[in-house]
């Protein structure tokens, strides 16, 4: 049993470190990724800030709020008395009754569709499917059957053991709300433009009503919380270790070994995270330069076509000016057979225009 406690403590400590470094990695990603303008987004990971816009916004089911995405939930409270039999420390059998209570979801739903994020340079489409969406609360109300909301927005029937109380909640992204978006940019299938959508290789896809600073601070808090939780589990493993080897080690040795090992793993993980962050920054710089090369090559390919177009317009303009000059010259032409300028030389061109 003591061996199991030691192994469990070690595993839980490692789990705490895993979640701590995942939070720290997300924080570094948010802090290191530069914010792009919508018109400057190319293929790859992109960070955007702007307002949520839609030509056909939704209307919240409970709140009536105009939004680009929302979800709602209706829960009903229940309670019941449970009789159970148990045995005390002296081996005597007893019966006791206790009350159980909880909430059951009796209704839910929502609407979601691609929308646009707008900044001072333009708009870009965002496909929210698969994103980690941080929403704003629209509606939160608990009521009894006396309230019209109870049955108008909830089911017409009640569940078993009901307490005749329902809780209505709704969250979403309001229209024109300030958003923070980080995700993979790809080329749209229906237009020559980019869009932000889910990608399995992308390290993060988040749509949040919180600011970049708030998200970064939240991940930092998560890092320290999980780090502390992992340290507690490591100490628990040290206690189990001490109980297992009570006659071999002194009281402080298990704790020194546990804390020391935890710190070694922590330092190694931190170095690995920083190294990966630097590698990601290098790849992002290389990707940015490759996008610059693509744009320069595209412009280089367009320049010859532009030159040919200008030459064509120049030739057309020259011929037009020449025709106008000849037309002006024909105003002094004399009738056929008379001495002077002949009008017949320009007649074929005028006949073609008439036809």
């Amino acid at each position: 049993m003591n061996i199991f406690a030691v192994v469990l403590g070690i595993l839980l400590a490692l789990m705490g470190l895993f979640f701590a470094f995942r939070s720290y990695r997300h924080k570094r990603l948010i802090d290191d990724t530069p914010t792009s303008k919508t018109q400057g987004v190319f293929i790859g990971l992109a960070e955007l800030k702007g307002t949520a816009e839609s030509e056909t916004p939704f209307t919240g089911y409970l709140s009536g709020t105009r939004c680009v995405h929302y979800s709602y939930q209706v829960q009903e409270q229940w309670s019941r008395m449970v009789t159970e039999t148990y045995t005390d420390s002296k081996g005597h059998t007893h019966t006791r009754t206790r009350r159980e209570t909880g909430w059951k979801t009796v209704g839910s739903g929502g609407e979601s569709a691609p929308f646009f994020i707008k900044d001072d340079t333009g708009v870009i489409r965002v496909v929210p499917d698969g994103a980690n969406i941080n929403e704003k609360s629209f509606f939160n109300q608990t009521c009894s059957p006396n309230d019209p909301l109870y049955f108008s927005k909830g089911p017409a029937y009640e569940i078993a053991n009901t307490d005749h109380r329902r809780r209505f909640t709704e969250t979403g992204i309001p229209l024109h709300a300030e958003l923070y978006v980080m995700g993979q940019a790809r080329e749209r299938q229906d237009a020559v433009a980019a869009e932000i959508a889910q990608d399995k290789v992308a390290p993060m896809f988040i749509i949040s009503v919180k600011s970049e600073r708030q998200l970064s601070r939240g991940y930092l808090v998560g890092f320290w919380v999980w780090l502390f939780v992992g340290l507690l589990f490591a100490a628990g493993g040290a206690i189990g270790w001490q109980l297992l080897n009570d006659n071999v080690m002194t009281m402080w040795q298990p704790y020194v070994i546990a804390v020391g090992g935890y710190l070694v793993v922590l330092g190694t993980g931190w170095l690995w995270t920083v190294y990966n962050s630097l590698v990601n920054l290098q790849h992002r710089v290389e990707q940015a330069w490759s996008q610059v090369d693509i744009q320069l090559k595209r412009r280089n390919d367009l320049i010859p076509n532009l030159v040919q177009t200008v030459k064509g317009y120049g030739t057309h303009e020259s011929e037009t000016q020449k025709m106008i000059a000849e037309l002006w010259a024909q105003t002094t032409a004399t009738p056929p057979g008379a001495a002077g300028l002949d009008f017949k030389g320009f007649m074929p061109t005028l006949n073609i225009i008439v036809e």
Side-chain angles (χ1 to χ4, degrees):
M1 186 65 181
N2 290 335
I3 296 177
F4 176 77
V6 173
V7 174
L8 181 61
I10 293 174
L11 292 178
L12 291 176
L14 293 176
M15 184 185 68
L17 282 175
F18 171 79
F19 286 110
F21 282 115
R22 189 179 69 168
S23 296
Y24 186 72
R25 185 171 65 253
H26 288 167
K27 177 191 179 318
R28 289 295 298 263
L29 187 63
I30 290 176
D31 294 342
D32 295 341
T33 305
T35 302
S36 302
K37 295 295 185 180
T38 55
Q39 287 192 352
V41 172
F42 299 112
I43 306 303
L45 188 66
E47 177 185 270
L48 297 168
K49 298 175 184 177
T51 59
E53 306 295 339
S54 175
E55 296 178 354
T56 56
F58 302 115
T59 300
Y61 177 72
L62 299 177
S63 64
T65 304
R66 300 184 70 202
C67 51
V68 299
H69 165 87
Y70 79 92
S71 60
Y72 71 90
Q73 190 175 55
V74 182
Q75 294 177 305
E76 190 169 338
Q77 190 178 31
W78 59 268
S79 62
R80 63 188 175 193
M81 303 304 294
V82 178
T83 302
E84 60 183 8
T85 303
Y86 69 97
T87 303
D88 61 14
S89 59
K90 296 181 180 180
H92 299 153
T93 302
H94 302 276
T95 302
R96 61 185 175 188
T97 303
R98 59 183 178 86
R99 183 175 181 268
E100 290 183 345
T101 185
W103 293 86
K104 181 179 180 180
T105 300
V106 295
S108 63
E111 292 179 286
S112 182
F115 60 91
F116 294 92
I117 182 170
K118 179 181 179 181
D119 60 13
D120 56 350
T121 64
V123 298
I124 186 171
R125 190 168 76 164
V126 178
V127 183
D129 298 339
N132 178 16
I133 303 178
N134 185 280
E135 303 170 320
K136 184 177 180 181
S137 177
F138 292 160
F139 195 87
N140 190 343
Q141 183 176 335
T142 302
C143 63
S144 65
N146 297 328
D147 194 314
L149 179 67
Y150 192 89
F151 288 113
S152 64
K153 296 297 185 178
Y157 59 90
E158 292 184 315
I159 63 174
N161 303 310
T162 181
D163 286 341
H164 307 290
R165 295 185 70 219
R166 284 180 177 175
R167 181 168 58 198
F168 297 81
T169 57
E170 184 176 83
T171 59
I173 301 176
L175 189 67
H176 311 312
E178 292 288 339
L179 287 185
Y180 173 89
V181 176
M182 177 181 286
Q184 192 77 4
R186 68 184 185 187
E187 188 175 355
R188 290 177 57 174
Q189 300 296 324
D190 58 341
V192 184
E195 66 179 4
I196 308 297
Q198 183 185 22
D199 194 314
K200 294 181 179 179
V201 301
M204 181 183 293
F205 184 23
I206 183 171
I207 302 172
S208 176
V209 295
K210 294 182 179 179
S211 65
E212 178 182 3
R213 184 176 180 180
Q214 290 173 323
L215 288 172
S216 177
R217 187 176 299 173
Y219 282 121
L220 180 62
V221 171
F223 167 74
W224 287 110
V225 168
W226 280 111
L227 207 62
F228 181 73
V229 170
L231 184 60
L232 290 179
F233 285 133
I239 294 174
W241 192 356
Q242 183 180 4
L243 294 175
L244 185 64
N245 303 278
D246 190 36
N247 298 325
V248 179
M249 295 185 177
T250 59
M251 294 183 60
W252 55 269
Q253 285 178 320
Y255 299 98
V256 171
I257 295 174
V259 173
Y262 187 80
L263 293 178
V264 169
V265 177
L266 173 62
T268 304
W270 183 82
L271 290 175
W272 180 255
T273 302
V274 173
Y275 173 77
N276 285 339
S277 179
L278 294 175
V279 171
N280 290 333
L281 286 175
Q282 181 180 0
H283 289 168
R284 196 167 294 120
V285 170
E286 294 173 354
Q287 182 183 26
W289 278 114
S290 66
Q291 296 293 347
V292 172
D293 292 339
I294 290 173
Q295 294 302 315
L296 291 177
K297 185 177 183 303
R298 184 180 298 175
R299 290 187 180 185
N300 184 67
D301 295 339
L302 290 174
I303 287 175
N305 296 332
L306 180 62
V307 171
Q308 294 300 324
T309 302
V310 173
K311 285 183 178 180
Y313 274 108
T315 302
H316 173 72
E317 183 72 16
S318 176
E319 293 177 353
T320 302
Q321 293 293 338
K322 183 178 179 181
M323 290 174 62
I324 292 175
E326 291 181 0
L327 282 172
W328 278 107
Q330 294 300 330
T331 59
T332 58
T334 57
L341 297 174
D342 191 1
F343 185 73
K344 184 175 63 176
F346 201 63
M347 282 300 294
T349 301
L350 292 179
N351 289 335
I352 292 175
I353 295 176
V354 170
E355 291 177 359

